[in-house]
PDB file of all heavy atoms in Angstrom:
ATOM      1  N   ASN P  46     290.435  71.927  50.464  1.00 83.00           N
ATOM      2  CA  ASN P  46     290.331  70.546  50.875  1.00 83.00           C
ATOM      3  C   ASN P  46     291.042  70.405  52.221  1.00 83.00           C
ATOM      4  O   ASN P  46     292.254  70.527  52.286  1.00 83.00           O
ATOM      5  CB  ASN P  46     291.000  69.665  49.795  1.00 83.00           C
ATOM      6  CG  ASN P  46     290.994  68.211  50.181  1.00 83.00           C
ATOM      7  OD1 ASN P  46     290.551  67.854  51.266  1.00 83.00           O
ATOM      8  ND2 ASN P  46     291.501  67.374  49.296  1.00 83.00           N
ATOM      9  N   ARG P 136     292.899  75.525  68.677  1.00 98.00           N
ATOM     10  CA  ARG P 136     293.480  76.746  68.100  1.00 98.00           C
ATOM     11  C   ARG P 136     293.876  76.560  66.641  1.00 98.00           C
ATOM     12  O   ARG P 136     294.645  77.348  66.101  1.00 98.00           O
ATOM     13  CB  ARG P 136     294.700  77.169  68.921  1.00 98.00           C
ATOM     14  CG  ARG P 136     294.345  77.618  70.333  1.00 98.00           C
ATOM     15  CD  ARG P 136     295.571  77.644  71.232  1.00 98.00           C
ATOM     16  NE  ARG P 136     295.276  78.118  72.570  1.00 98.00           N
ATOM     17  CZ  ARG P 136     294.748  77.354  73.535  1.00 98.00           C
ATOM     18  NH1 ARG P 136     294.459  76.083  73.306  1.00 98.00           N
ATOM     19  NH2 ARG P 136     294.507  77.879  74.730  1.00 98.00           N
ATOM     20  N   ARG P 163     321.407  34.443  71.409  1.00 98.00           N
ATOM     21  CA  ARG P 163     321.382  34.403  69.941  1.00 98.00           C
ATOM     22  C   ARG P 163     320.098  33.793  69.393  1.00 98.00           C
ATOM     23  O   ARG P 163     319.886  33.766  68.190  1.00 98.00           O
ATOM     24  CB  ARG P 163     322.554  33.575  69.418  1.00 98.00           C
ATOM     25  CG  ARG P 163     323.884  34.257  69.617  1.00 98.00           C
ATOM     26  CD  ARG P 163     324.902  33.595  68.718  1.00 98.00           C
ATOM     27  NE  ARG P 163     326.234  34.063  69.052  1.00 98.00           N
ATOM     28  CZ  ARG P 163     327.264  33.941  68.243  1.00 98.00           C
ATOM     29  NH1 ARG P 163     327.117  33.355  67.072  1.00 98.00           N
ATOM     30  NH2 ARG P 163     328.439  34.383  68.615  1.00 98.00           N
ATOM     31  N   ALA P 224     309.458  45.341  61.935  1.00 98.00           N
ATOM     32  CA  ALA P 224     308.782  46.375  61.141  1.00 98.00           C
ATOM     33  C   ALA P 224     307.337  46.535  61.605  1.00 98.00           C
ATOM     34  O   ALA P 224     306.856  47.657  61.819  1.00 98.00           O
ATOM     35  CB  ALA P 224     308.829  45.999  59.661  1.00 98.00           C
ATOM     36  N   PHE P 233     299.541  53.931  67.054  1.00 98.00           N
ATOM     37  CA  PHE P 233     299.236  54.343  68.437  1.00 98.00           C
ATOM     38  C   PHE P 233     299.100  55.863  68.517  1.00 98.00           C
ATOM     39  O   PHE P 233     298.151  56.397  69.081  1.00 98.00           O
ATOM     40  CB  PHE P 233     300.366  53.842  69.356  1.00 98.00           C
ATOM     41  CG  PHE P 233     300.311  54.321  70.770  1.00 98.00           C
ATOM     42  CD1 PHE P 233     299.600  53.610  71.726  1.00 98.00           C
ATOM     43  CD2 PHE P 233     300.977  55.496  71.165  1.00 98.00           C
ATOM     44  CE1 PHE P 233     299.550  54.048  73.046  1.00 98.00           C
ATOM     45  CE2 PHE P 233     300.928  55.942  72.474  1.00 98.00           C
ATOM     46  CZ  PHE P 233     300.215  55.209  73.422  1.00 98.00           C
ATOM     47  N   PRO P 260     334.050  53.156  50.984  1.00 98.00           N
ATOM     48  CA  PRO P 260     335.330  53.719  50.530  1.00 98.00           C
ATOM     49  C   PRO P 260     335.783  54.858  51.432  1.00 98.00           C
ATOM     50  O   PRO P 260     334.950  55.625  51.931  1.00 98.00           O
ATOM     51  CB  PRO P 260     335.016  54.243  49.125  1.00 98.00           C
ATOM     52  CG  PRO P 260     333.552  54.111  48.910  1.00 98.00           C
ATOM     53  CD  PRO P 260     332.931  53.434  50.087  1.00 98.00           C
ATOM     54  N   GLU P 286     310.913  51.146  50.085  1.00 98.00           N
ATOM     55  CA  GLU P 286     309.849  50.186  50.415  1.00 98.00           C
ATOM     56  C   GLU P 286     309.275  50.509  51.802  1.00 98.00           C
ATOM     57  O   GLU P 286     308.070  50.507  52.014  1.00 98.00           O
ATOM     58  CB  GLU P 286     310.435  48.760  50.365  1.00 98.00           C
ATOM     59  CG  GLU P 286     309.449  47.658  50.624  1.00 98.00           C
ATOM     60  CD  GLU P 286     308.229  47.706  49.691  1.00 98.00           C
ATOM     61  OE1 GLU P 286     308.364  48.095  48.495  1.00 98.00           O
ATOM     62  OE2 GLU P 286     307.137  47.368  50.186  1.00 98.00           O
ATOM     63  N   HIS P 326     305.117  63.204  52.069  1.00 98.00           N
ATOM     64  CA  HIS P 326     304.457  64.426  51.608  1.00 98.00           C
ATOM     65  C   HIS P 326     305.525  65.491  51.398  1.00 98.00           C
ATOM     66  O   HIS P 326     305.514  66.212  50.415  1.00 98.00           O
ATOM     67  CB  HIS P 326     303.446  64.928  52.639  1.00 98.00           C
ATOM     68  CG  HIS P 326     302.299  64.012  52.885  1.00 98.00           C
ATOM     69  ND1 HIS P 326     302.374  62.939  53.735  1.00 98.00           N
ATOM     70  CD2 HIS P 326     301.043  64.007  52.388  1.00 98.00           C
ATOM     71  CE1 HIS P 326     301.209  62.309  53.763  1.00 98.00           C
ATOM     72  NE2 HIS P 326     300.381  62.942  52.945  1.00 98.00           N
ATOM     73  N   VAL P 428     332.488  64.137  72.069  1.00 93.00           N
ATOM     74  CA  VAL P 428     333.338  63.268  71.242  1.00 93.00           C
ATOM     75  C   VAL P 428     334.257  64.080  70.334  1.00 93.00           C
ATOM     76  O   VAL P 428     335.425  63.765  70.184  1.00 93.00           O
ATOM     77  CB  VAL P 428     332.462  62.316  70.394  1.00 93.00           C
ATOM     78  CG1 VAL P 428     333.309  61.531  69.383  1.00 93.00           C
ATOM     79  CG2 VAL P 428     331.712  61.338  71.284  1.00 93.00           C
ATOM     80  N   GLY P 452     312.492  83.791  81.799  1.00 98.00           N
ATOM     81  CA  GLY P 452     311.088  83.406  81.946  1.00 98.00           C
ATOM     82  C   GLY P 452     310.810  81.984  81.502  1.00 98.00           C
ATOM     83  O   GLY P 452     309.662  81.551  81.442  1.00 98.00           O
ATOM     84  N   LEU P 461     320.342  73.812  80.021  1.00 98.00           N
ATOM     85  CA  LEU P 461     321.410  74.539  79.320  1.00 98.00           C
ATOM     86  C   LEU P 461     321.284  75.978  79.781  1.00 98.00           C
ATOM     87  O   LEU P 461     320.175  76.445  80.080  1.00 98.00           O
ATOM     88  CB  LEU P 461     321.215  74.478  77.798  1.00 98.00           C
ATOM     89  CG  LEU P 461     321.666  73.220  77.064  1.00 98.00           C
ATOM     90  CD1 LEU P 461     321.323  73.331  75.567  1.00 98.00           C
ATOM     91  CD2 LEU P 461     323.164  72.961  77.228  1.00 98.00           C
ATOM     92  N   LEU P 483     310.271  90.075  66.006  1.00 98.00           N
ATOM     93  CA  LEU P 483     309.015  89.378  66.306  1.00 98.00           C
ATOM     94  C   LEU P 483     307.814  90.039  65.630  1.00 98.00           C
ATOM     95  O   LEU P 483     306.990  89.366  65.002  1.00 98.00           O
ATOM     96  CB  LEU P 483     308.804  89.341  67.829  1.00 98.00           C
ATOM     97  CG  LEU P 483     307.531  88.663  68.323  1.00 98.00           C
ATOM     98  CD1 LEU P 483     307.498  87.186  67.931  1.00 98.00           C
ATOM     99  CD2 LEU P 483     307.418  88.774  69.855  1.00 98.00           C
ATOM    100  N   ARG P 570     310.428 100.589  37.250  1.00 92.00           N
ATOM    101  CA  ARG P 570     311.681 100.705  36.485  1.00 92.00           C
ATOM    102  C   ARG P 570     312.821 101.210  37.350  1.00 92.00           C
ATOM    103  O   ARG P 570     313.951 101.319  36.893  1.00 92.00           O
ATOM    104  CB  ARG P 570     311.463 101.654  35.294  1.00 92.00           C
ATOM    105  CG  ARG P 570     310.468 101.098  34.298  1.00 92.00           C
ATOM    106  CD  ARG P 570     310.020 102.159  33.338  1.00 92.00           C
ATOM    107  NE  ARG P 570     309.433 103.309  34.032  1.00 92.00           N
ATOM    108  CZ  ARG P 570     308.764 104.272  33.433  1.00 92.00           C
ATOM    109  NH1 ARG P 570     308.595 104.247  32.120  1.00 92.00           N
ATOM    110  NH2 ARG P 570     308.265 105.273  34.117  1.00 92.00           N
TER     111      ARG P 570
END
Side-chain angles (χ1 to χ4, degrees):
N46 177 357
R136 293 164 178 81
R163 290 197 190 198
F233 172 89
E286 182 55 35
H326 296 82
V428 172
L461 279 177
L483 179 62
R570 295 166 303 192

